[in-house]
Amino acid sequence: MGKKWEANPADVSKGLAYANALESIGQTDQQLSVYARMVERNPDNGKLAGLYGRRLAAAGRASEAIPVLERAAASKEADWRVYSALGSVYDQQGLYEKARAQYEKALAGDPQNLSVMNNLGMSYALEGNLKQAEATLRQADALPRSKSEPRIRQNLALVVGLQGRFEEASSLAREDLPPDQVQANMAYLQKMLSQPNTWQQISEGGKG
């Protein structure tokens, strides 16, 4: 498959098939290299740029993902996944206002997108605006489809707990987690609140 693509690196269909095969065997770096070469040879393909940017973001390479996703977001092929991914990497760089602008673009086309609403809520949390984070996550949790998205409730429990309301946070967490895990999570939250690097710890998880 790789040889077929190497014969014509501008061929998107063969390149995507090769990249997917590499992903299936855990060859992330090589997969990203294939995407990079395809994007270089197809500079006007916004959909391809979006795929590459999202893969970079998923691999934890936020600084590299930003210019690729910005190009994808400016194209006519941009969709909510591109906007949300760009918002996520902006958040990782501490660019919270820019991140939320991207989430709002994503929600403009899909106002009840739980993944985007979750990221928007956690963006507020990362900035330290816990009240707005709670309001956003509660709005998401009130939607019927939220029952299939436990991370919404767990992030809401996190935000509520960070405001010192541990009993309420425990009640939320118990909807999806066993009692021993809820107890462990609450103990961890209390420990976090006693440390100076609370927001750094939050930034290491919670988004998706």
Side-chain angles (χ1 to χ4, degrees):
M1 190 178 296
K3 290 180 179 179
K4 289 181 179 179
W5 174 71
E6 287 286 358
N8 181 14
D11 189 318
V12 175
S13 61
K14 286 187 175 64
L16 289 176
Y18 182 36
N20 289 337
L22 291 168
E23 181 180 30
S24 70
I25 59 174
Q27 298 293 325
T28 302
D29 289 343
Q30 193 172 349
Q31 177 204 31
L32 292 175
S33 178
V34 171
Y35 269 110
R37 290 177 64 187
M38 283 195 295
V39 168
E40 182 181 358
R41 288 163 174 76
N42 297 275
D44 297 322
N45 190 326
K47 185 176 181 179
L48 180 61
L51 287 170
Y52 177 39
R54 286 163 51 205
R55 293 298 189 280
L56 284 169
R61 294 160 63 169
S63 60
E64 295 174 64
I66 285 177
V68 179
L69 287 169
E70 286 178 338
R71 179 166 46 160
S75 74
K76 61 183 180 181
E77 292 95 344
D79 61 14
W80 73 266
R81 292 170 296 183
V82 169
Y83 297 134
S84 186
L86 181 54
S88 182
V89 291
Y90 278 152
D91 270 334
Q92 291 176 48
Q93 301 295 308
L95 303 171
Y96 304 119
E97 289 188 12
K98 294 183 71 172
R100 290 194 288 271
Q102 296 303 315
Y103 298 140
E104 294 295 347
K105 285 183 181 180
L107 290 171
D110 189 0
Q112 296 188 353
N113 188 303
L114 292 176
S115 179
V116 179
M117 293 178 76
N118 176 69
N119 283 356
L120 177 59
M122 293 309 294
S123 179
Y124 283 117
L126 289 171
E127 194 177 30
N129 188 343
L130 295 176
K131 292 188 180 299
Q132 188 59 51
E134 180 182 348
T136 303
L137 291 169
R138 284 196 182 280
Q139 183 182 0
D141 190 47
L143 296 174
R145 290 185 297 112
S146 72
K147 299 307 177 185
S148 63
E149 289 282 350
R151 66 176 173 166
I152 298 287
R153 283 181 297 283
Q154 295 311 309
N155 284 338
L156 178 57
L158 168 67
V159 167
V160 169
L162 285 170
Q163 296 176 76
R165 289 148 46 204
F166 296 111
E167 184 174 344
E168 184 180 353
S170 296
S171 178
L172 287 163
R174 278 196 295 269
E175 293 188 37
D176 306 289
L177 300 177
D180 58 338
Q181 190 170 344
V182 172
Q183 185 176 2
N185 286 358
M186 291 306 106
Y188 179 66
L189 270 180
Q190 293 182 52
K191 181 179 178 181
M192 283 176 62
L193 289 175
S194 69
Q195 297 176 354
N197 61 338
T198 297
W199 302 117
Q200 181 180 347
Q201 293 182 62
I202 297 174
S203 70
E204 295 172 355
K207 294 175 66 61

Coordinates of all heavy atoms in Angstrom, one line a residue, residues 75-162:
S75 N -11.2 27.3 5.3 CA -11.6 26.8 4.0 C -13.1 26.5 4.0 O -13.8 26.5 5.0 CB -10.9 25.4 3.7 OG -11.5 24.4 4.6
K76 N -13.7 26.3 2.8 CA -15.1 26.1 2.7 C -15.5 24.7 3.1 O -16.7 24.4 3.3 CB -15.6 26.3 1.2 CG -14.9 25.3 0.2 CD -15.3 25.6 -1.2 CE -14.7 24.7 -2.2 NZ -15.1 25.0 -3.6
E77 N -14.5 23.8 3.3 CA -14.8 22.5 3.8 C -14.9 22.4 5.3 O -15.1 21.3 5.8 CB -13.8 21.5 3.3 CG -13.8 21.3 1.8 CD -12.8 22.1 1.0 OE1 -12.3 23.1 1.6 OE2 -12.5 21.9 -0.1
A78 N -14.6 23.5 6.0 CA -14.6 23.4 7.5 C -15.9 22.9 8.1 O -17.0 23.3 7.6 CB -14.2 24.8 8.0
D79 N -15.8 22.1 9.1 CA -17.0 21.7 9.8 C -16.8 21.8 11.3 O -15.7 22.2 11.8 CB -17.4 20.2 9.4 CG -16.3 19.2 9.7 OD1 -15.4 19.5 10.5 OD2 -16.4 18.1 9.2
W80 N -17.8 21.3 12.1 CA -17.7 21.5 13.6 C -16.5 20.8 14.1 O -15.9 21.3 15.1 CB -19.0 21.0 14.2 CG -19.1 19.5 14.3 CD1 -19.8 18.8 13.4 CD2 -18.6 18.6 15.2 NE1 -19.8 17.4 13.7 CE2 -19.0 17.3 14.9 CE3 -17.9 18.8 16.4 CZ2 -18.7 16.2 15.6 CZ3 -17.5 17.6 17.1 CH2 -18.0 16.4 16.8
R81 N -16.1 19.7 13.5 CA -14.9 18.9 14.1 C -13.6 19.8 13.9 O -12.8 19.7 14.8 CB -14.8 17.6 13.3 CG -15.9 16.6 13.6 CD -15.9 15.4 12.7 NE -16.1 15.8 11.3 CZ -16.2 15.0 10.3 NH1 -16.1 13.7 10.5 NH2 -16.4 15.4 9.1
V82 N -13.5 20.5 12.8 CA -12.3 21.3 12.7 C -12.3 22.5 13.7 O -11.3 22.7 14.4 CB -12.3 21.9 11.2 CG1 -11.2 23.0 11.1 CG2 -12.0 20.8 10.2
Y83 N -13.5 23.2 13.8 CA -13.6 24.3 14.8 C -13.3 23.8 16.2 O -12.6 24.4 17.0 CB -15.0 24.9 14.7 CG -15.3 25.5 13.4 CD1 -16.5 25.3 12.7 CD2 -14.4 26.4 12.7 CE1 -16.9 25.9 11.5 CE2 -14.7 27.0 11.5 CZ -15.9 26.7 10.9 OH -16.3 27.3 9.7
S84 N -13.9 22.6 16.5 CA -13.7 22.1 17.9 C -12.3 21.7 18.2 O -11.7 22.0 19.3 CB -14.6 20.9 18.1 OG -14.6 20.5 19.5
A85 N -11.6 21.1 17.2 CA -10.2 20.7 17.3 C -9.3 21.9 17.5 O -8.4 22.0 18.3 CB -9.8 19.9 16.2
L86 N -9.6 23.0 16.7 CA -8.8 24.2 16.8 C -9.0 24.9 18.1 O -8.1 25.3 18.8 CB -9.2 25.2 15.6 CG -8.5 26.5 15.6 CD1 -7.0 26.3 15.5 CD2 -8.9 27.3 14.4
G87 N -10.3 24.9 18.6 CA -10.5 25.4 19.9 C -9.8 24.6 21.0 O -9.2 25.2 21.9
S88 N -9.7 23.3 20.9 CA -9.0 22.5 21.9 C -7.5 22.8 21.9 O -6.9 22.9 23.0 CB -9.2 21.0 21.5 OG -8.6 20.2 22.5
V89 N -6.9 23.0 20.7 CA -5.4 23.3 20.8 C -5.2 24.7 21.2 O -4.1 25.0 21.8 CB -4.8 23.0 19.4 CG1 -4.8 21.5 19.1 CG2 -5.4 23.7 18.2
Y90 N -6.1 25.6 20.9 CA -6.0 27.0 21.5 C -6.0 26.9 23.0 O -5.2 27.6 23.7 CB -7.1 27.9 21.0 CG -6.9 28.5 19.6 CD1 -8.0 28.8 18.8 CD2 -5.7 28.7 19.1 CE1 -7.9 29.4 17.5 CE2 -5.5 29.3 17.8 CZ -6.6 29.6 17.1 OH -6.5 30.2 15.8
D91 N -7.0 26.1 23.5 CA -7.0 26.0 25.0 C -5.7 25.5 25.6 O -5.3 25.9 26.6 CB -8.2 25.0 25.4 CG -9.5 25.7 25.6 OD1 -9.5 26.9 25.9 OD2 -10.6 25.1 25.4
Q92 N -5.1 24.5 24.9 CA -3.9 24.0 25.4 C -2.7 25.0 25.4 O -1.8 24.9 26.2 CB -3.5 22.8 24.5 CG -4.4 21.6 24.7 CD -4.0 20.4 23.7 OE1 -2.8 20.1 23.6 NE2 -4.9 19.9 23.0
Q93 N -2.9 26.0 24.6 CA -1.9 27.1 24.6 C -2.3 28.3 25.4 O -1.6 29.3 25.4 CB -1.7 27.6 23.1 CG -1.2 26.5 22.1 CD 0.2 26.0 22.5 OE1 1.1 26.8 22.7 NE2 0.3 24.7 22.6
G94 N -3.4 28.1 26.2 CA -3.9 29.2 27.0 C -4.6 30.3 26.3 O -4.8 31.4 26.9
L95 N -5.0 30.1 25.1 CA -5.7 31.1 24.3 C -7.2 30.9 24.4 O -7.9 30.5 23.4 CB -5.2 31.0 22.8 CG -3.7 31.1 22.6 CD1 -3.3 30.8 21.1 CD2 -3.2 32.6 22.9
Y96 N -7.7 31.2 25.6 CA -9.1 30.8 25.9 C -10.1 31.5 25.1 O -11.1 30.9 24.6 CB -9.3 30.9 27.4 CG -8.3 30.2 28.2 CD1 -7.5 30.9 29.1 CD2 -8.2 28.8 28.1 CE1 -6.6 30.2 29.9 CE2 -7.3 28.1 28.9 CZ -6.5 28.8 29.8 OH -5.5 28.1 30.5
E97 N -10.0 32.8 24.9 CA -11.0 33.6 24.1 C -11.0 33.1 22.6 O -12.1 32.9 22.1 CB -10.7 35.0 24.2 CG -11.0 35.7 25.5 CD -10.8 37.2 25.5 OE1 -10.8 37.7 24.4 OE2 -10.8 37.8 26.6
K98 N -9.8 32.8 22.1 CA -9.8 32.3 20.7 C -10.4 30.9 20.6 O -11.1 30.6 19.7 CB -8.3 32.3 20.2 CG -7.7 33.6 20.0 CD -6.3 33.6 19.5 CE -6.3 33.2 18.0 NZ -5.0 33.3 17.4
A99 N -10.2 30.1 21.7 CA -10.7 28.8 21.7 C -12.3 28.8 21.7 O -12.9 28.2 20.9 CB -10.3 28.0 23.0
R100 N -12.8 29.7 22.6 CA -14.3 29.8 22.7 C -14.9 30.3 21.4 O -16.0 29.9 21.1 CB -14.7 30.6 23.9 CG -14.3 29.8 25.2 CD -15.0 30.4 26.4 NE -14.4 31.7 26.8 CZ -13.4 31.8 27.6 NH1 -12.8 30.7 28.1 NH2 -12.9 33.0 27.9
A101 N -14.2 31.2 20.7 CA -14.7 31.7 19.4 C -14.9 30.5 18.4 O -15.9 30.4 17.7 CB -13.8 32.7 18.8
Q102 N -14.0 29.5 18.5 CA -14.1 28.4 17.6 C -15.2 27.5 18.0 O -15.9 26.9 17.2 CB -12.8 27.6 17.6 CG -11.6 28.4 17.0 CD -11.9 28.9 15.6 OE1 -12.4 28.1 14.7 NE2 -11.5 30.1 15.3
Y103 N -15.4 27.3 19.3 CA -16.5 26.4 19.8 C -17.8 27.0 19.4 O -18.8 26.3 19.1 CB -16.4 26.3 21.3 CG -15.2 25.6 21.8 CD1 -14.5 26.0 23.0 CD2 -14.6 24.5 21.1 CE1 -13.4 25.3 23.4 CE2 -13.5 23.8 21.6 CZ -12.9 24.3 22.7 OH -11.7 23.6 23.2
E104 N -17.9 28.4 19.5 CA -19.2 29.0 19.1 C -19.4 28.8 17.6 O -20.6 28.7 17.2 CB -19.1 30.5 19.5 CG -19.0 30.8 20.9 CD -20.3 30.4 21.7 OE1 -21.3 30.1 21.1 OE2 -20.2 30.4 23.0
K105 N -18.4 28.8 16.8 CA -18.6 28.6 15.4 C -19.1 27.1 15.2 O -20.0 26.9 14.4 CB -17.3 28.7 14.6 CG -16.8 30.1 14.4 CD -15.6 30.2 13.6 CE -15.1 31.6 13.3 NZ -13.8 31.6 12.5
A106 N -18.6 26.2 15.9 CA -19.0 24.8 15.8 C -20.5 24.7 16.3 O -21.3 24.0 15.6 CB -18.1 23.9 16.7
L107 N -20.9 25.4 17.3 CA -22.2 25.3 17.9 C -23.2 26.0 17.0 O -24.4 25.7 17.0 CB -22.3 25.8 19.3 CG -21.6 24.9 20.3 CD1 -21.5 25.7 21.7 CD2 -22.3 23.6 20.5
A108 N -22.8 27.0 16.2 CA -23.6 27.7 15.3 C -24.3 26.7 14.3 O -25.5 26.9 13.9 CB -22.9 28.8 14.6
G109 N -23.6 25.7 13.9 CA -24.1 24.8 13.0 C -24.7 23.6 13.6 O -25.5 22.8 13.0
D110 N -24.4 23.4 14.9 CA -24.9 22.2 15.6 C -25.1 22.6 17.1 O -24.2 22.2 17.9 CB -24.0 21.0 15.5 CG -24.5 19.7 16.0 OD1 -25.6 19.7 16.5 OD2 -23.8 18.7 15.9
P111 N -26.1 23.3 17.5 CA -26.2 23.9 18.8 C -26.3 22.9 20.0 O -26.0 23.3 21.1 CB -27.6 24.7 18.7 CG -27.8 24.9 17.2 CD -27.2 23.7 16.6
Q112 N -26.6 21.7 19.7 CA -26.7 20.7 20.8 C -25.6 19.7 20.7 O -25.7 18.5 21.2 CB -28.0 20.1 20.8 CG -29.2 21.0 21.1 CD -30.5 20.3 21.3 OE1 -30.6 19.1 21.1 NE2 -31.5 21.1 21.7
N113 N -24.4 20.0 20.1 CA -23.3 19.1 20.0 C -22.7 18.9 21.4 O -22.0 19.8 21.9 CB -22.3 19.6 19.0 CG -21.2 18.6 18.7 OD1 -20.5 18.1 19.5 ND2 -21.1 18.3 17.4
L114 N -22.8 17.8 22.0 CA -22.4 17.5 23.3 C -20.8 17.6 23.4 O -20.3 18.1 24.4 CB -22.9 16.2 23.8 CG -24.4 16.1 24.1 CD1 -24.7 14.7 24.5 CD2 -24.8 17.1 25.1
S115 N -20.1 17.1 22.4 CA -18.7 17.2 22.5 C -18.2 18.6 22.5 O -17.3 18.9 23.3 CB -18.1 16.4 21.3 OG -16.7 16.5 21.3
V116 N -18.8 19.4 21.7 CA -18.3 20.8 21.7 C -18.8 21.6 22.9 O -18.0 22.3 23.5 CB -19.0 21.6 20.4 CG1 -18.5 23.0 20.4 CG2 -18.5 20.9 19.1
M117 N -20.0 21.3 23.4 CA -20.4 21.9 24.7 C -19.5 21.5 25.8 O -19.2 22.3 26.7 CB -21.9 21.5 25.0 CG -22.8 22.1 24.0 SD -24.6 21.7 24.3 CE -24.9 22.7 25.7
N118 N -19.1 20.3 25.8 CA -18.2 19.8 26.9 C -16.9 20.6 26.8 O -16.3 21.1 27.8 CB -17.9 18.3 26.7 CG -16.9 17.8 27.7 OD1 -17.1 17.7 28.9 ND2 -15.7 17.4 27.2
N119 N -16.3 20.7 25.6 CA -15.1 21.4 25.5 C -15.2 22.9 25.8 O -14.3 23.5 26.4 CB -14.5 21.3 24.0 CG -13.9 20.0 23.8 OD1 -13.8 19.1 24.7 ND2 -13.5 19.7 22.5
L120 N -16.4 23.5 25.5 CA -16.6 24.9 25.8 C -16.6 25.1 27.4 O -16.0 26.0 27.9 CB -17.9 25.4 25.2 CG -18.4 26.8 25.5 CD1 -17.3 27.8 25.1 CD2 -19.7 27.1 24.9
G121 N -17.4 24.2 28.0 CA -17.4 24.2 29.5 C -16.1 24.1 30.1 O -15.7 24.8 31.0
M122 N -15.3 23.1 29.6 CA -13.9 22.9 30.2 C -13.0 24.1 29.9 O -12.0 24.3 30.6 CB -13.4 21.6 29.7 CG -14.1 20.4 30.3 SD -14.4 20.5 32.1 CE -12.7 20.3 32.7
S123 N -13.2 24.8 28.8 CA -12.4 25.9 28.4 C -12.6 27.0 29.5 O -11.6 27.6 30.0 CB -12.8 26.5 27.1 OG -12.1 27.6 26.7
Y124 N -13.9 27.2 29.9 CA -14.1 28.2 31.0 C -13.5 27.7 32.3 O -12.9 28.5 33.0 CB -15.6 28.3 31.2 CG -16.4 29.2 30.2 CD1 -17.3 28.6 29.4 CD2 -16.1 30.5 30.1 CE1 -18.0 29.4 28.5 CE2 -16.7 31.3 29.2 CZ -17.7 30.8 28.4 OH -18.3 31.6 27.5
A125 N -13.5 26.4 32.5 CA -12.9 25.9 33.8 C -11.4 26.1 33.8 O -10.8 26.5 34.8 CB -13.2 24.4 33.9
L126 N -10.8 25.9 32.6 CA -9.3 26.0 32.5 C -8.9 27.5 32.8 O -7.8 27.7 33.3 CB -8.8 25.6 31.1 CG -8.9 24.1 30.8 CD1 -8.6 23.9 29.3 CD2 -7.8 23.4 31.6
E127 N -9.8 28.4 32.4 CA -9.5 29.8 32.6 C -9.8 30.2 34.1 O -9.4 31.3 34.5 CB -10.3 30.7 31.7 CG -9.8 32.1 31.6 CD -10.6 32.9 30.5 OE1 -11.8 32.6 30.3 OE2 -10.0 33.9 30.0
G128 N -10.5 29.3 34.8 CA -10.8 29.6 36.2 C -12.2 30.2 36.4 O -12.6 30.5 37.5
N129 N -13.0 30.3 35.3 CA -14.4 30.8 35.4 C -15.3 29.6 35.7 O -16.0 29.0 34.8 CB -14.8 31.5 34.1 CG -16.1 32.2 34.2 OD1 -16.9 31.9 35.1 ND2 -16.3 33.1 33.3
L130 N -15.3 29.2 36.9 CA -16.1 27.9 37.3 C -17.6 28.1 37.2 O -18.3 27.1 36.9 CB -15.7 27.5 38.7 CG -14.2 27.1 38.9 CD1 -13.9 26.7 40.4 CD2 -13.9 25.9 38.0
K131 N -18.1 29.3 37.5 CA -19.5 29.5 37.4 C -20.0 29.3 35.9 O -21.0 28.7 35.7 CB -19.9 30.8 38.0 CG -19.7 30.9 39.5 CD -20.3 32.2 40.0 CE -20.1 32.3 41.5 NZ -20.8 31.2 42.2
Q132 N -19.3 29.9 35.0 CA -19.7 29.8 33.6 C -19.5 28.4 33.1 O -20.2 27.8 32.3 CB -18.9 30.8 32.7 CG -19.4 30.8 31.3 CD -20.9 31.2 31.2 OE1 -21.3 32.2 31.8 NE2 -21.7 30.5 30.5
A133 N -18.4 27.7 33.6 CA -18.2 26.3 33.2 C -19.3 25.5 33.7 O -19.8 24.6 32.9 CB -16.8 25.9 33.9
E134 N -19.8 25.7 34.9 CA -20.9 24.9 35.5 C -22.1 25.1 34.7 O -22.8 24.2 34.3 CB -21.1 25.3 36.9 CG -22.3 24.5 37.6 CD -22.5 24.9 39.0 OE1 -21.7 25.6 39.6 OE2 -23.6 24.4 39.5
A135 N -22.4 26.4 34.3 CA -23.7 26.7 33.6 C -23.6 26.0 32.2 O -24.7 25.5 31.8 CB -23.8 28.2 33.4
T136 N -22.5 26.0 31.6 CA -22.4 25.4 30.2 C -22.5 23.9 30.3 O -23.3 23.3 29.5 CB -21.0 25.8 29.6 OG1 -20.9 27.2 29.5 CG2 -20.9 25.2 28.2
L137 N -21.9 23.3 31.3 CA -22.0 21.8 31.4 C -23.4 21.4 31.9 O -23.8 20.3 31.5 CB -20.9 21.3 32.4 CG -19.5 21.5 31.9 CD1 -18.4 21.2 33.0 CD2 -19.2 20.5 30.7
R138 N -24.0 22.2 32.7 CA -25.4 21.9 33.1 C -26.3 21.9 31.9 O -27.3 21.1 31.8 CB -25.9 22.8 34.2 CG -25.3 22.5 35.6 CD -26.1 23.1 36.7 NE -25.4 22.9 38.0 CZ -25.6 21.7 38.7 NH1 -26.4 20.8 38.2 NH2 -25.0 21.6 39.9
Q139 N -26.1 22.9 31.1 CA -26.9 23.0 29.8 C -26.7 21.8 29.0 O -27.7 21.2 28.4 CB -26.5 24.3 29.0 CG -27.3 24.5 27.8 CD -26.8 25.7 27.0 OE1 -25.9 26.4 27.4 NE2 -27.5 26.0 25.9
A140 N -25.5 21.3 28.9 CA -25.2 20.1 28.1 C -25.9 18.9 28.8 O -26.5 18.0 28.1 CB -23.7 19.9 28.0
D141 N -25.7 18.8 30.1 CA -26.3 17.6 30.9 C -27.8 17.6 30.8 O -28.4 16.5 31.0 CB -25.8 17.7 32.3 CG -26.1 16.4 33.1 OD1 -25.8 15.3 32.6 OD2 -26.6 16.5 34.2
A142 N -28.4 18.7 30.6 CA -29.9 18.7 30.5 C -30.4 18.2 29.2 O -31.6 17.9 29.1 CB -30.4 20.1 30.7
L143 N -29.6 18.0 28.2 CA -30.0 17.5 26.9 C -30.3 16.0 27.0 O -29.5 15.3 27.7 CB -29.0 17.8 25.8 CG -28.8 19.3 25.5 CD1 -27.6 19.5 24.6 CD2 -30.0 19.9 25.0
P144 N -31.3 15.5 26.3 CA -31.6 14.1 26.4 C -30.4 13.1 26.0 O -30.2 12.1 26.7 CB -32.7 13.9 25.3 CG -33.4 15.3 25.3 CD -32.3 16.2 25.5
R145 N -29.6 13.5 25.1 CA -28.6 12.6 24.6 C -27.4 12.6 25.6 O -26.5 11.8 25.5 CB -28.0 13.1 23.2 CG -29.0 12.8 22.1 CD -28.4 13.1 20.8 NE -28.1 14.6 20.6 CZ -26.9 15.1 20.5 NH1 -25.8 14.2 20.6 NH2 -26.7 16.3 20.4
S146 N -27.4 13.4 26.6 CA -26.3 13.5 27.6 C -26.2 12.2 28.4 O -25.1 11.9 29.0 CB -26.4 14.7 28.5 OG -27.5 14.5 29.4
K147 N -27.3 11.4 28.5 CA -27.3 10.2 29.2 C -26.2 9.2 28.7 O -25.7 8.3 29.4 CB -28.6 9.5 29.3 CG -29.7 10.4 29.9 CD -29.3 10.9 31.3 CE -30.3 11.8 31.9 NZ -29.9 12.4 33.2
S148 N -25.9 9.4 27.4 CA -24.9 8.5 26.8 C -23.5 9.1 26.8 O -22.6 8.5 26.2 CB -25.4 8.2 25.3 OG -25.4 9.4 24.5
E149 N -23.4 10.2 27.4 CA -22.1 10.9 27.5 C -21.7 11.1 29.0 O -21.8 12.3 29.5 CB -22.2 12.3 26.8 CG -22.3 12.2 25.3 CD -20.9 11.9 24.6 OE1 -19.9 12.0 25.3 OE2 -20.9 11.6 23.4
P150 N -21.2 10.1 29.6 CA -20.9 10.3 31.1 C -19.8 11.3 31.4 O -19.8 11.8 32.5 CB -20.4 8.8 31.5 CG -20.1 8.2 30.2 CD -21.0 8.7 29.1
R151 N -19.0 11.6 30.4 CA -17.9 12.6 30.7 C -18.5 14.0 31.0 O -17.9 14.8 31.7 CB -16.9 12.7 29.5 CG -17.5 13.2 28.2 CD -16.4 13.3 27.2 NE -17.1 13.7 25.9 CZ -16.4 14.1 24.9 NH1 -15.1 14.3 24.9 NH2 -17.0 14.4 23.8
I152 N -19.7 14.3 30.4 CA -20.4 15.5 30.7 C -20.6 15.6 32.2 O -20.3 16.6 32.9 CB -21.7 15.7 30.0 CG1 -21.5 15.6 28.4 CG2 -22.4 16.9 30.4 CD1 -20.9 16.9 27.9
R153 N -21.2 14.6 32.8 CA -21.5 14.6 34.2 C -20.3 14.6 35.1 O -20.2 15.2 36.1 CB -22.4 13.4 34.6 CG -23.9 13.6 34.2 CD -24.7 12.5 34.5 NE -24.4 11.2 33.9 CZ -24.6 11.0 32.6 NH1 -25.3 11.8 31.9 NH2 -24.3 9.8 32.0
Q154 N -19.3 13.8 34.6 CA -18.0 13.8 35.4 C -17.3 15.1 35.4 O -16.7 15.5 36.4 CB -17.1 12.6 34.9 CG -17.7 11.2 35.0 CD -18.3 11.0 36.4 OE1 -17.6 11.2 37.4 NE2 -19.5 10.6 36.5
N155 N -17.3 15.8 34.3 CA -16.7 17.1 34.2 C -17.5 18.1 35.0 O -17.0 19.0 35.7 CB -16.5 17.6 32.8 CG -15.4 16.9 32.1 OD1 -14.5 16.4 32.7 ND2 -15.4 16.9 30.8
L156 N -18.9 18.0 35.0 CA -19.7 18.8 35.8 C -19.4 18.5 37.3 O -19.3 19.5 38.1 CB -21.2 18.5 35.5 CG -22.2 19.3 36.3 CD1 -22.0 20.8 36.2 CD2 -23.6 18.9 35.9
A157 N -19.3 17.3 37.7 CA -18.9 16.9 39.1 C -17.6 17.6 39.5 O -17.4 18.1 40.6 CB -18.8 15.4 39.2
L158 N -16.6 17.6 38.5 CA -15.3 18.2 38.8 C -15.5 19.7 39.1 O -14.9 20.2 40.0 CB -14.4 17.9 37.6 CG -13.1 18.8 37.5 CD1 -12.2 18.3 38.6 CD2 -12.4 18.6 36.1
V159 N -16.2 20.3 38.2 CA -16.4 21.8 38.3 C -17.1 22.1 39.6 O -16.8 23.1 40.3 CB -17.1 22.4 37.1 CG1 -17.6 23.8 37.3 CG2 -16.2 22.3 35.9
V160 N -18.2 21.4 39.9 CA -18.9 21.6 41.2 C -18.0 21.3 42.4 O -18.0 22.1 43.4 CB -20.2 20.7 41.2 CG1 -20.8 20.7 42.6 CG2 -21.2 21.2 40.2
G161 N -17.2 20.3 42.3 CA -16.3 19.9 43.4 C -15.2 21.0 43.6 O -14.9 21.3 44.8
L162 N -14.8 21.6 42.5 CA -13.8 22.6 42.6 C -14.3 23.9 43.3 O -13.5 24.7 43.7 CB -13.2 23.0 41.2 CG -12.3 21.9 40.6 CD1 -12.0 22.2 39.2 CD2 -11.0 21.9 41.4

